[in-house]
Amino acid sequence: MKAVFDCVSIFPEMFAALTGSGITRKAQEAGLWSLALWNPRDYADNAWRTVDDRPYGGGPGMVMRAAPLEAAIHAARARQQAAGVTKSRVIYLSPQGVPLNHASVVEMAADTRAGVGLVLLCGRYEGVDERLIERVVEEEISIGDFVVSGGELAAMLLMDAIIRQLPGALGDAASAAEDSFVSGLLDCPHYTRPEVYAGQAVPEALLSGDHARIRRWRLKASLARTRKRRPELLAQRALSAEETQLMTEIRLEQCGEQ
Ligand code: SAM
């Protein structure tokens, strides 16, 4: 089944970044995913279509009101049911949520393929009325320990990461399999023409045409890069016999350099 996304946002036009460009656009045209946008302003109960109000207790900023958001989420769930989803996961993009990572993206991609729809709630201002979260939100997801102005970019990041995992979304399925984090390592460095750029040559192994040698070079480069930049990833991962051997070589080479 295609992945079904519904986003609740006061800036639905922002989602053109996903539907209008690149891999996500092609995947949508190929029928791998669908998107419906729900503007809570369409569910506001006042002539000015305002969806925010001052916070109780005072202080700066505004808070998104619960009622228009709940009505928009309700409409999103109804359209997902009509589209044949087995269940809707209502997710609030929030800096206070569970940090997003590769494992959760893969899990959500599998869920969408199994018929689960995602309803993504994009906050603005100081956030949304807590009672709305308690009533209808099932999960909160964060894109990192920093704050952006609204949930739209966070929702689009999540969707892009999921769409990349859908079979047929990438021109070459192998490229997703070699991405950082998939095997618990960072990806190796990449090079393209010319062979020498600004006096720097492409590593000789990559020009050798020897597939076994190239594979070994890439694995070693991935291990070395992960060790240098994200050592905690290596600590969480069991190494194969070949990887253990390569790590020994990397340590010895580093000792030699010092
Ligand atoms: N006052 C909130 C706080 O400190 O937790 C931040 C509100 S932020 C300015 C407005 C909206 O942007 C949030 O409601 C949320 O939807 C979204 N947002 C901001 N940072 C985010 C992050 N790191 N991950 C996911 N969503 C985020």
Side-chain angles (χ1 to χ4, degrees), residues 40-55:
R41 292 195 193 286
D42 295 335
Y43 300 89
D45 55 3
N46 57 73
W48 303 274
R49 306 206 322 146
T50 51
V51 292
D52 58 318
D53 211 331
R54 289 187 302 266

Side-chain angles (χ1 to χ4, degrees), residues 64 92-97 121-128 141-152 154-155:
M64 294 187 91
Y92 173 41
L93 285 308
S94 162
Q96 301 176 27
L121 171 60
C122 306
R124 281 273 155 179
Y125 316 116
E126 290 304 315
V128 310
I141 291 179
S142 167
I143 54 165
D145 288 351
F146 50 86
V147 173
V148 292
S149 308
E152 289 79 9

